[in-house]
Amino acid sequence: MAGGAMNKALLPLALSLGVLVTACNMGGGDASNSSQSAPGDLAGARIGAPFTLTNQDGAKVRWDDFKGSYRLVYFGYTYCPDVCPVDLQRIMQAFTRFEKADPARAAKVQPIFISLDPERDTPGVIKTYVAAFHPRLTGLTGSKDDIAKVAKDFVVVYGKEEAKGTSDYLVSHSRTPYLFGPDGEPVALVPVDDPGTADKDEGGPDAVLAFLEKWVK
Ligand code: NI
């Protein structure tokens, strides 16, 4: 579907459907996310709501604590074998470059990772995980009920997938890297699938960096 033509009222539904195609753990599910809307298409969408979760240091954190900051929000889980770490690395590498290019604007952005696997993702587990990506990445977890509510409020779909013959499991989940504005309003989906036009090795702007430069005022 063409991003610009999408009715905003239908966007949450479209996001929900889109994720089923590109969910984590489904293998090779990248580069085909047709619901990856044009930037700015989340304006006015009903995504996000107040919450209280626990950060990687065990402290309670509220959504409203980030008032005044842009919020780069990524839902996933630390045991994710493929999509989450790749997405997070791409987003946080772009953020690092944004910090170097424009420290003042980057300081207004709070990157946030929210776990969809609260059983295994304790604050301690999350602390190690987020530290591997960026020192400013905040990791949040909570009770199963807390996370279920936050996922619903943020239009994220996820579900546990038990593996046969083992107590191990995967968490299939939607891929919804969001940018929210300083008042918690949804702005746009982070174009994490888009490699951009320039060679990253040459320091050219990739899509996520260009996205941050465009939207963070
Ligand atoms: Ni994942």
Side-chain angles (χ1 to χ4, degrees):
M1 71 195 89
M6 193 186 294
N7 184 326
K8 278 167 186 155
L10 295 176
L11 189 56
L13 176 62
L15 289 171
S16 304
L17 297 175
V19 299
L20 298 178
V21 179
T22 57
C24 269
N25 311 321
M26 295 182 78
D30 63 351
S32 59
N33 189 351
S34 62
S35 72
Q36 196 89 327
S37 310
D41 275 3
L42 295 185
R46 295 176 65 178
I47 301 174
F51 61 66
T52 302
L53 293 173
T54 302
N55 74 7
Q56 69 268 36
D57 295 315
K60 295 288 180 200
V61 171
R62 296 174 309 146
W63 181 232
D64 290 344
D65 291 343
F66 302 111
K67 191 161 179 55
S69 294
Y70 288 83
R71 307 146 206 201
L72 263 177
V73 180
Y74 192 88
F75 285 84
Y77 69 116
T78 71
Y79 288 80
C80 183
D82 40 42
V83 179
C84 289
V86 172
D87 281 355
L88 276 172
Q89 189 174 38
R90 179 170 246 170
I91 292 168
M92 297 318 297
Q93 279 178 348
F95 180 69
T96 298
R97 290 167 62 204
F98 186 55
E99 278 184 314
K100 285 179 183 154
D102 196 335
R105 277 200 292 163
K108 296 188 205 167
V109 180
Q110 177 59 58
I112 303 169
F113 168 78
I114 301 179
S115 174
L116 296 170
D117 184 13
E119 287 175 69
R120 291 183 294 194
D121 284 345
T122 61
V125 168
I126 285 184
K127 188 175 177 108
T128 306
Y129 189 72
V130 295
F133 292 99
H134 196 283
R136 284 199 48 220
L137 178 59
T138 287
L140 300 179
T141 189
S143 70
K144 278 171 79 172
D145 287 348
D146 289 341
I147 293 297
K149 179 175 190 310
V150 172
K152 186 164 179 278
D153 288 342
F154 283 72
V155 198
V156 174
V157 181
Y158 69 107
K160 215 163 149 177
E161 291 180 6
E162 309 282 351
K164 280 178 191 160
T166 159
S167 59
D168 243 358
Y169 63 89
L170 296 172
V171 179
S172 192
H173 64 93
S174 57
R175 204 167 162 211
T176 42
Y178 294 123
L179 178 69
F180 291 87
D183 291 321
E185 73 282 16
V187 174
L189 283 173
V190 183
V192 74
D193 275 340
D194 183 347
T197 52
D199 185 346
K200 276 200 284 186
D201 294 336
E202 294 172 2
D206 69 16
V208 176
L209 178 59
F211 172 89
L212 292 171
E213 286 174 338
K214 175 176 180 178
W215 290 108
V216 178
K217 309 296 183 195

